[in-house]
Amino acid sequence: MNPLRHLVLAGIAVTSVLGALANADEPQRHALLIGASGYDEARIGPGVELLGPRNDVALMIRALRAYDVPDTNMLVLADGLDQTGIDFAAHGDPTRAEILAAFSAMLERANPGDEVLIYFSGHGSRQPQPEDAAEREANGFDEIFLPLDIGHWEGAQGDRQAGVQNALIDDEIGTFLEDLRARNVFVWLVVDTCHSGGANRSAGPGGEFRTRAVTEDLLGIPAEARIAAEQRAQATRSGTPSVRPESALSLGEGGFVAFYAAHSGQLALEGLMPKVGAAETRDNFGVMTFHIANGLLAGGVGSYRDLAYRVLSGYNDWGSRAPAPLFEGDLDRTLLGQGGALRSPQWHARFLARETTEIEAGYLEGVGEGAVFEIIVRDPDTQGPHPSFPGPYYVEAVEVGQTATRAVLTAFEGNEAARALPGRTAFMTARMVDPGVRLSLSVAIDPSEADLNAREQLATDALTRLGEANPETLIAPLDFREPGEPADVRIRVHDNAVWFLRSEADIVPTGRDRSARIAIDDTATIDALMSQIEGELQKLARVRNILNASSAFQGSNGLENLTFETFVWRATPPRLGPDARAADDWACSLPDPTQIPAEAVSLEELGTSELNALELSHCDIVYVRLTNTGDRPIDVTPLYIDSQAGIHRLPFLGTNASTRIEPGEQPRIVWAGLRTFDWTTGYPASAGLERLVLLAIEREEGAALPMDFGFLTQTSLSRSAGETASDAERSPLGQLMTMAAFGGSTTRSARARPALDTQAGSILFQWRLVPPGESEG
């Protein structure tokens, strides 16, 4: 099976390429960057032009330069690159002929031992496979990348060139990748595109985001050809199809790692990034590309897995309908051939005032509100620290732009804030010592509709009063934006309800995917509605903040002595009776309350990992087996976050409910039983992107009570002020999580470093819970 077999093509790709080494005889790092933006509406249809791919390519060039990849090792096909301001001239346009020529050129350039980044950004779609195709796709379709000169459907005559005119088929890309690997070349593939034939072309959230897919209708693929392909497809129910190449390459030949913007059947988005700041100060980027570049430019990532963690953390703001990136291959390989050394960038800092500096790094470099930098004053002769200004000088980011940050002096790690920065003549650099955790939730209220009825007008008035309230009187750190500005949550009054929109482009009024809402009844008052709306926003803020805080600890040293294995047990639906209220109207059961069932399958056997979002369904069960391989106790709290902002403490198998895992103890097993239908109430349960968070902290030998972060669950949110704090809450990790969940209106950011320094860590799993018969793939 080729590497792009189940790839979602159509968005923007972002990643970094391998930097050329000093000696020409040593392994080199190369990049082939392809970005297609200016699609011709006359050839395809209205609304197909993209703005992001050209910016994606420019951002990737910038990231690769930061890793010392020379311009001469980058082969770039991108239209409109000259409009981005990057000082790099493209080598051609991303047409089919030029892409194939670039494949040949890269095969000539790359030598055994080299590393090559292959990057695609643009539209993607799919087309039916010919009936006599040599390799059958399980879904009956070929994924395709759309070059600029894409045409329309020409039929399927058994030739791989047939189908959509000038389409680049997954098999062709796969053959190119295998040819590189056969030469013992390591390949990093990044594809930021969609593969979703039914994806609409409307604007996304807030009118600022759009999908990167062209529909099969626009490509002229007839319905009968699609139906025939689906009928030929193999009917399978798999969790997540693996895109890991299954070529016949022997061990020792070229490795492979891939980053895809979305799973098959999902949308990849592009839009104005980041989701903060005025529209005129931001540019269009592919969402995944933007977060890849953030991770590369910010530094501190040692492997492709570390970079994948950074990318995933960027998706925490998107809610349960967010696209789920897909990562495959040799993820533990050192990133860009760094040899284990972590890149720790330093940026120029300019004196603004006694306590204020401007740092030449911003959102594009992964800087966020609350980030802490150490300012180093340089000796102009030696370029080392200036002996007259030893510091330490720490500053905290208070205003972040695309490429610049205003920061003020602050206390940090037991050091009081310095009294003043050196004067204007000092040469200063800044290095990030704590990325911080953003805790404020941005909210935009959509303009009111015409002809509101009395109940809808009441809700509109309640929203107006809430938006104008003193922020310090609110129960959560809410940042209200003007209508149309980027925001984590958009609120709209419509059809006698207040709707809360996250990643969805518009209200989903009915069905299991219905958008979150508060129904407005005849007894509602402005004060009651304000309280209800504020309470729902607090739930969304709490979940997002806990995810952001947990993401800061993925892959940390606190997990070096905790190993985990993950298994999935799939339920077999029973024969339903005539009174069944839905396809999943049946009670779930635990197969064996003492151990993982023999029929459970590991993620490794499924060809995936905890990074990827499996597609699971009603009554499926996820098991995580945890083993303490060290010589000190480890406390682990399992928290389940559902698609409706609920937070639940999960149990362990067996009778031992303690979070403590002692050294040498038999493995402990966390289990999560999944539900898409509540059999007892007769109503559908949550569905969408859901997560399991394991909060772990290594303790001193003989530590008395186990730490349990169960206080973060929804049931404990109404804690009284006089309640005694536990050891878990007093710990650095507990303090961070408490700020995330209960910080109040003035707690807009928090620091991650203290908890990292105390051997804390987190493991995050995600899956997409889908009711039976509603598979996305």
Side-chain angles (χ1 to χ4, degrees):
M1 184 169 65
N2 286 322
L4 292 182
R5 184 64 60 187
H6 296 284
L7 166 64
V8 182
L9 275 148
I12 64 181
V14 67
T15 93
S16 121
V17 157
L18 333 135
L21 302 180
N23 190 327
D25 293 331
E26 294 180 352
Q28 299 287 301
R29 294 177 293 175
H30 303 271
L32 171 56
L33 308 178
I34 299 170
S37 300
Y39 291 94
D40 187 353
E41 292 189 357
R43 293 178 64 92
I44 309 175
V48 295
E49 183 176 8
L50 295 173
L51 299 175
R54 64 191 61 164
N55 295 324
D56 292 340
V57 170
L59 187 57
M60 288 305 297
I61 291 171
R62 183 179 174 188
L64 292 173
R65 285 172 171 174
Y67 280 81
D68 300 321
V69 178
D71 287 4
T72 53
N73 282 20
M74 300 186 210
L75 181 54
V76 176
L77 301 179
D79 62 306
L81 190 64
D82 57 340
Q83 302 173 33
T84 67
I86 191 79
D87 56 337
F88 192 108
H91 299 98
D93 286 334
T95 63
R96 173 179 170 82
E98 294 204 50
I99 291 172
L100 292 178
F103 286 178
S104 297
M106 188 55 69
L107 285 169
E108 290 291 328
R109 287 187 182 195
N111 294 308
D114 287 356
E115 299 192 20
V116 176
L117 166 65
I118 308 297
Y119 173 88
F120 287 93
S121 176
H123 274 306
S125 192
R126 66 177 191 169
Q127 66 181 27
Q129 273 194 306
E131 290 187 45
D132 56 351
E135 276 190 272
R136 303 302 310 167
E137 295 276 9
N139 63 3
F141 289 82
D142 279 316
E143 287 76 33
I144 56 176
F145 178 78
L146 276 54
L148 276 191
D149 56 345
I150 194 71
H152 283 81
W153 177 252
E154 295 180 327
Q157 298 87 26
D159 187 314
R160 70 189 309 171
Q161 301 296 332
V164 175
Q165 181 188 22
N166 291 331
L168 192 67
I169 304 172
D170 56 0
D171 301 278
E172 297 174 290
I173 301 172
T175 298
F176 166 54
L177 300 181
E178 290 170 357
D179 289 344
L180 282 171
R181 296 181 64 215
R183 303 191 61 188
N184 197 24
V185 172
F186 182 86
V187 176
W188 180 17
L189 174 68
V190 177
V191 184
D192 195 348
T193 65
C194 300
H195 162 230
S196 182
N200 64 50
R201 297 296 308 148
S202 62
E208 292 193 336
F209 291 84
R210 65 185 304 178
T211 64
R212 284 188 167 178
V214 170
T215 66
E216 294 153 7
D217 288 334
L218 273 180
L219 294 174
I221 301 175
E224 56 268 23
R226 286 178 261 168
I227 293 171
E230 291 167 354
Q231 291 174 341
R232 291 193 300 269
Q234 303 169 13
T236 61
R237 181 184 179 232
S238 60
T240 297
S242 173
V243 294
R244 186 185 303 275
E246 295 179 1
S247 64
L249 295 177
S250 62
L251 292 175
E253 294 187 315
F256 177 81
V257 68
F259 285 29
Y260 303 128
H263 287 232
S264 182
Q266 294 177 356
L267 306 180
L269 300 177
E270 77 159 46
L272 295 175
M273 293 291 287
K275 292 172 67 176
V276 293
E280 60 270 16
T281 67
R282 297 174 293 133
D283 291 317
N284 278 274
F285 294 99
V287 172
M288 182 172 118
T289 297
F290 183 83
H291 292 304
I292 289 175
N294 272 190
L296 292 172
L297 291 169
V301 287
S303 67
Y304 290 99
R305 185 178 300 276
D306 293 340
L307 182 59
Y309 289 148
R310 294 283 185 91
V311 172
L312 283 176
S313 68
Y315 280 75
N316 289 339
D317 294 340
W318 289 85
S320 64
R321 292 180 177 85
L326 182 64
F327 308 96
E328 293 290 345
D330 303 331
L331 291 166
D332 292 317
R333 182 182 173 98
T334 299
L335 180 68
L336 300 179
Q338 295 178 104
L342 295 182
R343 178 176 173 269
S344 181
Q346 296 194 23
W347 299 283
H348 177 64
R350 184 167 64 91
F351 179 89
L352 292 182
R354 179 183 178 88
E355 298 180 348
T356 310
T357 181
E358 182 181 74
I359 299 168
E360 292 183 351
Y363 286 118
L364 292 183
E365 288 79 16
V367 179
E369 184 179 349
V372 178
F373 298 84
E374 181 182 11
I375 299 296
I376 302 170
V377 184
R378 299 288 178 182
D379 187 311
D381 296 324
T382 67
Q383 296 302 307
H386 201 298
S388 300
F389 302 97
Y393 303 97
Y394 293 106
V395 294
E396 181 173 355
V398 294
E399 185 178 321
V400 185
Q402 288 277 65
T403 58
T405 295
R406 188 170 65 86
V408 299
L409 287 169
T410 186
F412 184 70
E413 289 198 325
N415 297 290
E416 294 184 359
R419 299 180 63 182
L421 289 164
R424 296 183 183 278
T425 59
F427 176 64
M428 300 184 296
T429 60
R431 68 179 186 93
M432 191 185 302
V433 294
D434 191 323
V437 179
R438 182 172 73 94
L439 300 180
S440 61
L441 184 79
S442 58
V443 181
I445 301 172
D446 285 356
S448 300
E449 298 178 354
D451 303 323
L452 297 176
N453 61 36
R455 283 188 283 180
E456 292 168 345
Q457 185 60 57
L458 190 72
T460 300
D461 294 342
L463 283 169
T464 299
R465 283 180 52 181
L466 185 63
E468 294 174 349
N470 182 345
E472 295 186 2
T473 66
L474 302 176
I475 60 177
L478 303 179
D479 179 12
F480 284 92
R481 306 277 178 84
E482 293 297 321
E485 287 189 9
D488 299 317
V489 181
R490 291 162 42 234
I491 302 180
R492 185 182 304 173
V493 176
H494 173 74
D495 193 21
N496 290 319
V498 179
W499 300 84
F500 299 84
L501 310 180
R502 287 178 282 174
S503 58
E504 61 263 53
D506 205 348
I507 291 173
V508 181
T510 59
R512 293 188 184 229
D513 288 337
R514 186 177 69 181
S515 303
R517 68 170 191 166
I518 296 173
I520 312 167
D521 58 38
D522 290 328
T523 62
T525 64
I526 286 183
D527 288 341
L529 278 174
M530 284 180 62
S531 179
Q532 282 184 281
I533 294 168
E534 188 178 4
E536 292 301 301
L537 291 174
Q538 183 192 35
K539 289 181 184 178
L540 295 173
R542 182 184 312 124
V543 166
R544 199 281 311 277
N545 293 345
I546 288 176
L547 286 172
N548 282 350
S550 300
S551 295
F553 301 98
Q554 283 183 286
S556 67
N557 292 336
L559 299 175
E560 61 185 5
N561 294 319
L562 182 68
T563 64
F564 62 92
E565 302 167 273
T566 311
F567 302 83
V568 175
W569 179 84
R570 297 188 186 284
T572 301
R575 185 183 298 276
L576 299 179
D579 296 331
R581 294 159 289 189
D584 46 0
D585 182 8
W586 44 284
C588 303
S589 61
L590 188 62
D592 188 331
T594 63
Q595 62 185 347
I596 299 173
E599 316 88 72
V601 180
S602 70
L603 294 192
E604 185 177 4
E605 291 177 82
L606 289 172
T608 185
S609 71
E610 82 281 4
L611 292 167
N612 298 323
L614 289 165
E615 187 176 286
L616 301 177
S617 194
H618 185 59
C619 290
D620 290 350
I621 302 177
V622 177
Y623 296 91
V624 183
R625 184 160 58 201
L626 301 167
T627 305
N628 183 348
T629 61
D631 55 10
R632 300 200 305 176
I634 301 176
D635 296 340
V636 181
T637 304
L639 299 175
Y640 187 83
I641 298 178
D642 67 32
S643 62
Q644 300 301 317
I647 306 172
H648 316 277
R649 164 76 152 73
L650 288 181
F652 292 89
L653 281 185
T655 58
N656 187 353
S658 169
T659 61
R660 174 69 50 83
I661 305 177
E662 296 286 355
E665 182 183 352
Q666 288 296 312
R668 301 283 301 286
I669 299 170
V670 174
W671 66 279
L674 310 183
R675 307 285 186 273
T676 61
F677 191 87
D678 189 330
W679 187 67
T680 57
T681 64
Y683 291 100
S686 65
L689 195 64
E690 308 206 338
R691 295 175 174 91
L692 167 61
V693 179
L694 302 180
L695 295 177
I697 183 164
E698 190 169 286
R699 306 292 302 280
E700 294 294 332
E701 189 174 354
L705 295 176
M707 288 190 181
D708 190 334
F709 294 92
F711 66 87
L712 296 172
T713 60
Q714 195 172 15
T715 55
S716 64
L717 290 175
S718 58
R719 299 174 307 161
S720 65
E723 188 174 349
T724 302
S726 65
D727 287 344
E729 292 171 274
R730 287 193 295 266
S731 71
L733 177 59
Q735 291 177 39
L736 173 61
M737 289 299 174
T738 299
M739 292 173 69
F742 314 106
S745 61
T746 59
T747 308
R748 311 193 68 81
S749 64
R751 294 174 183 172
R753 181 73 173 272
L756 280 170
D757 289 343
T758 57
Q759 293 298 97
S762 69
I763 305 170
L764 274 70
F765 302 87
Q766 59 177 350
W767 47 77
R768 195 170 293 278
L769 191 54
V770 180
E774 298 185 18
S775 173
E776 297 181 337

